[in-house]
Amino acid sequence: MDNIEFAVIGGTGLTEIEGMEIIHREVVHTPHGSPSGQFTHGMIGDKRIVFVARHGYAHNIPPHKVNYRANIWALRSLGVSKVVAIAAVGGITDKMKPRALVIPDQIIDYTSGRDHTFFEEGLSSVTHVDFSQPYTDELRQHLLNAAKKTDLELVDGGTYGATQGPRLETAAEISRMERDGCDLVGMTGMPEAGLARELGLSYACCAVVANWAAGKGDEEAISMDDIYQNLDNSMVNVRELLKTLAC
Ligand code: HPA
């Protein structure tokens, strides 16, 4: 059987890839506990893909309870070398409008208390990884090129601020994040990206802007209905992007 071309970690709004021909589903056990669900092996065209829904297929695992270590460990054990993470986010800066698709290039981590490293027990020596560029540029470029082929508009670059959730942020928290240099806010970008780096996987994110972040839109409050509506609309483009990436 051919090698797996890439893995997709689906975020809110993406619990399956339409157009992927499913071959089989696999339960993977890891030393770090259970992943978010079974891994779906399938084909897009003649390329092998593997998919997992980060929040579970029933969308019942909140961002701070996702077992990021198990998901990333399992992907590597399946022989995956490239991971495309799909993530719903709020938009902070002007270009990050609801329904935009963004390929971020930096991260600021505001999460806490998550199992965020593989390098903490049974080590023969203390281990650090370089994380200056948290996303793999080659994979980012593949995504950007795939979008060009299908005339899909992607925003190239942006800083993803990863928050703890599951509540959304206050307007003051978003103002602070903007001063820090964040363009986007989401709850799942870390420790996922860091763990992928620790295991030597290529990792890039396609962020789907679901709403203006707190205090950035015209409305006093963020509407969950609007979030789901925007995600629903944008996922058509995400599926197209993944299809083109596989071809
Ligand atoms: N904040 C954090 N995570 C999110 C948001 C947000 O506004 N929208 C979608 N995911």
Side-chain angles (χ1 to χ4, degrees):
M1 191 148 293
D2 291 338
N3 288 337
I4 296 170
E5 185 75 12
F6 59 87
V8 177
I9 302 179
T12 300
L14 191 76
T15 48
E16 60 178 65
I17 306 180
E18 235 168 66
M20 173 166 113
E21 181 199 331
I22 295 171
I23 306 169
H24 68 109
R25 297 187 205 270
E26 183 175 3
V27 175
V28 181
H29 299 284
T30 88
H32 303 286
S34 299
S36 296
Q38 296 182 355
F39 290 79
T40 306
H41 293 265
M43 306 292 291
I44 301 182
D46 59 358
K47 300 284 171 45
R48 271 191 71 198
I49 310 293
V50 64
F51 175 85
V52 66
R54 185 186 288 111
H55 300 286
Y57 290 96
H59 199 257
N60 59 356
I61 309 171
H64 63 296
K65 291 286 188 188
V66 170
N67 191 338
Y68 296 94
R69 287 199 301 191
N71 288 348
I72 295 294
W73 194 97
L75 287 174
R76 197 192 53 173
S77 80
L78 292 172
V80 164
S81 62
K82 294 183 205 138
V83 179
V84 177
I86 309 298
V89 296
I92 299 177
T93 49
D94 289 354
K95 278 200 256 176
M96 309 303 178
K97 295 183 174 52
R99 300 194 185 182
L101 300 187
V102 186
I103 309 298
D105 61 354
Q106 276 298 331
I107 300 178
I108 299 179
D109 188 4
Y110 300 90
T111 65
S112 58
R114 301 181 178 190
D115 286 327
H116 67 288
T117 181
F118 292 107
F119 299 140
E120 59 183 2
E121 274 164 19
L123 300 175
S124 50
S125 75
V126 172
T127 307
H128 304 284
V129 290
D130 171 60
F131 202 45
S132 312
Q133 304 302 326
Y135 298 107
T136 307
D137 196 52
E138 197 180 345
L139 190 52
R140 292 186 64 255
Q141 297 305 328
H142 284 321
L143 285 161
L144 292 163
N145 289 336
K148 273 185 205 141
K149 280 194 212 156
T150 47
D151 275 342
L152 252 181
E153 214 175 293
L154 291 190
V155 181
D156 177 0
T159 297
Y160 178 122
T163 55
Q164 180 68 355
R167 67 164 177 83
L168 297 176
E169 300 68 35
T170 66
E173 285 168 337
I174 293 296
S175 294
R176 183 185 72 159
M177 290 178 75
E178 187 170 20
R179 288 195 298 278
D180 284 353
C182 294
D183 298 292
L184 303 164
V185 55
M187 300 175 192
T188 57
M190 286 296 285
E192 198 171 85
L195 291 166
R197 178 61 53 86
E198 285 189 349
L199 292 193
L201 304 181
S202 295
Y203 179 95
C205 171
C206 174
V208 183
V209 183
N211 55 285
W212 283 117
K216 290 289 167 186
D218 296 333
E219 309 295 329
E220 182 89 345
I222 296 170
S223 143
M224 299 305 142
D225 284 350
D226 288 354
I227 287 188
Y228 286 108
Q229 186 68 49
N230 286 330
L231 287 176
D232 237 30
N233 277 285
S234 300
M235 285 308 159
V236 178
N237 291 337
V238 171
R239 289 193 181 98
E240 188 63 30
L241 180 67
L242 294 174
K243 222 166 77 186
T244 315
L245 186 68
C247 294

